[in-house]
Amino acid sequence: MSNTNKPSNAFTSANQPTPGNTRGKSPKTKALAALQRVQNWSEDQLYDYIVTEAFQNNNKEMLEQFLKAAVPTARTTLPNIAFQYDRSAPYHEKAEVVMEAMSKGEIPPDVALDIINSIKHIATVHEQEALVKRIEQLETILQNTFSFNRLGEAVPLKV
């Protein structure tokens, strides 16, 4: 039996998707449009002006703008850290080794936090793996102990 009710959100002439970019123009697009309207310059002409001001007229602000555009600041990365720990140790002991290294100043606090979070995620994966194995064992035991009728109800096996 099909649904005979008319949908409340049907596409009608009054309910159509909005075409184009619904978030509006980006700040860069707006700035370039204003530059075109006011100065009648293209983006290339703007960069030509910045370079001329920076290098020929020794304008420090324009030199700063040029350097920001030409050489963007590098992303910060965490330093490489090397330390020893027992791979067979429980996860809480591994975290304690990291905390001890941090307290001695061998590892920066933000790096220590990232390492501890990594240890925590690894522990969670192992825990879930162990739970899956236990559930599979329980299912095997149940299937060997009970039979199931056609309604899916468990019925003890007759011995």
Side-chain angles (χ1 to χ4, degrees), residues 103-137:
S103 67
K104 292 178 181 177
E106 298 170 357
I107 301 176
D110 56 336
V111 175
L113 180 63
D114 284 346
I115 294 171
I116 289 174
N117 281 333
S118 296
I119 292 170
K120 178 183 171 188
H121 288 296
I122 291 169
T124 302
V125 168
H126 285 280
E127 182 180 298
Q128 289 173 349
E129 202 174 284
L131 287 173
V132 166
K133 286 180 183 176
R134 290 176 66 190
I135 290 171
E136 287 172 351
Q137 289 172 347

Side-chain angles (χ1 to χ4, degrees), residues 23-102:
R23 294 180 295 168
K25 296 179 179 178
S26 71
K28 180 180 177 182
T29 302
K30 289 178 184 178
L32 290 173
L35 183 68
Q36 178 66 40
R37 284 191 312 269
V38 175
Q39 292 291 97
N40 200 22
W41 285 3
S42 67
E43 185 176 3
D44 290 337
Q45 289 170 322
L46 172 64
Y47 287 121
D48 291 344
Y49 174 77
I50 291 172
V51 169
T52 302
E53 284 294 309
F55 294 104
Q56 292 177 359
N57 299 336
N58 295 325
N59 185 331
K60 291 181 182 179
E61 288 84 16
M62 290 298 170
L63 180 60
E64 183 180 332
Q65 291 301 317
F66 172 78
L67 290 175
K68 281 183 182 178
V71 186
T73 54
R75 277 185 20 194
T76 58
T77 57
L78 296 175
N80 292 332
I81 301 294
F83 62 95
Q84 295 294 322
Y85 72 97
D86 182 9
R87 288 186 65 124
S88 63
Y91 294 110
H92 71 278
E93 289 180 12
K94 292 177 184 178
E96 287 174 7
V97 168
V98 174
M99 291 295 291
E100 185 177 332
M102 181 188 70

